[in-house]
Amino acid sequence: MSAPRVAAIHDLSCFGRCSLTVVMPTLSVMGVQCCPVPTACLSTHTGGFAGSTFLDLTDQMSPITGHWQSLGLIFDGVYTGFMGSLEQIGRTADFIRAFRRPGCHIVVDPVMGDHGRPYRTYTPEMCRAMSALAELAGVLTPNATEAALLLGEDYEAVRLDREADCRRWAKRLSRDGACSVVLKGVSLSPETVGAVCFDRESGETSFVSAPLVPGQFHGTGDLFASVLTGALVRGWALTAAAQLAADFTSACARRQGTPCREGMDFEPLLWRLGKEVEPPCRI
Ligand code: PXL
C-alpha cells in the first residue's frame, strides 16, 4: 500500500516552527506523503520577530499546478493554510478546483488571526477572499478569531465555553451542512481545551478535549490542523482525528521549553505520533 498523498499549500517560514516546517514533518511521521506548494519564503513567521524577509512565490503557484496536472498527479488531500496575499488565495482556489475529486479531503485552515485580532498582513479584502476559499472546503478548521471574521461577527460574541453556543457556531460555519467543521479553542471546563466538530457526513456534532496548558504557543493551530489532516487521509473519522490532534498538541504544550515565538517544541514527541497511527505497510 502506498502512502496517502497530500498537497500542502502553505508558506515556508524558515525559523519559528509554523506552516511547512510543522506540516511536512508531521505528515511524514504519520505515513503521509507531503507535496508542498510553497506560497512564500520568509526568514521567520510574522508573529514576534521584527524584520522578517519575504520572498513572494505566488508566481510559481499556477506553473506548479499546471505541471502537476500534466503529470496526472492525484491527491488524497489538499491542505491549505496561511496566505501571504490576495492573489495567493485565488491561486489556491484554482489548485483545489483542479485537483478535487471524490475521496480527496480538502482541509482549509483559514489562518487569519488569533486572540481577537487579524494578523497584521491580513487586509479586509483578504479576509473576504478567505471566506470564498472556505466555500471550497470539505473540512474547515478555524479558531474563534477566524470564526468571527468568517461569519462577520464580533469576536466577543464567539464564546466557546458553552456546548449549545459551540454547536451553533459550528453549524453556521458549515453553511448549514455544506462542509465539516473543526472549530478550535473550545473550553467547556477551565482545565481543558479542544474543539467542536461538525461532521457533514453524519450531520452530528461532537466535542474533543485535552488538558489545557496555560500560555500561548506560536504554531499551535498549524500543528493541530496537520495532525487532523494526516489522520483524515489515513482514514480516521473526523472526531477521532480531532481527538488525536487535541491530544498531541496538548502533549507538546506540556513539555514546551522553548520561547513562545519559536513555536511548539514538537520534534521530541513526533515518534509518539507515528506510533499512534497504524503502520501503513510492513518494512
Ligand atoms: O502559524 C500561522 C502563520 C503562518 N505563516 C506565517 C505567519 C503565521 C502567523 O503569524 O506569520 C508567515
Side-chain angles (χ1 to χ4, degrees), residues 10-14 16-20 22 39-42 44-48 52-54 81-84 109 111-114 119-122 146 217-223:
H10 296 254
D11 64 278
L12 177 62
S13 287
C14 301
R17 292 193 192 91
C18 70
S19 39
L20 284 177
V22 169
T39 55
C41 176
L42 298 86
T44 65
H45 59 68
T46 60
S52 28
T53 66
F54 182 83
F82 181 89
M83 297 287 146
D109 190 5
V111 179
M112 287 188 283
D114 218 345
Y119 293 128
R120 60 182 161 84
T121 51
Y122 265 78
E146 293 150 357
F217 311 102
H218 199 91
T220 329
D222 294 340
L223 186 62

Side-chain angles (χ1 to χ4, degrees), residues 112-173:
M112 287 188 283
D114 218 345
H115 313 297
R117 283 192 305 275
Y119 293 128
R120 60 182 161 84
T121 51
Y122 265 78
T123 61
E125 293 76 36
M126 285 174 75
C127 291
R128 274 195 293 279
M130 189 61 99
S131 297
L133 185 67
E135 294 189 11
L136 298 177
V139 182
L140 186 65
T141 61
N143 59 27
T145 305
E146 293 150 357
L149 289 168
L150 289 171
L151 296 173
E153 290 283 351
D154 210 34
Y155 170 65
E156 301 302 328
V158 187
R159 299 258 320 262
L160 298 179
D161 55 359
R162 280 200 301 258
E163 250 192 68
D165 292 343
C166 293
R167 285 178 194 278
R168 197 164 47 83
W169 293 122
K171 194 74 194 292
R172 269 186 66 186
L173 286 160

Side-chain angles (χ1 to χ4, degrees), residues 32-75:
V32 174
Q33 180 191 3
C34 178
C35 306
V37 180
T39 55
C41 176
L42 298 86
S43 50
T44 65
H45 59 68
T46 60
F49 299 98
S52 28
T53 66
F54 182 83
L55 173 67
D56 190 349
L57 295 173
T58 310
D59 284 355
Q60 290 299 306
M61 294 176 73
S62 295
I64 292 173
T65 307
H67 187 214
W68 286 1
Q69 275 185 298
S70 76
L71 294 174
L73 296 188
I74 285 177
F75 295 97

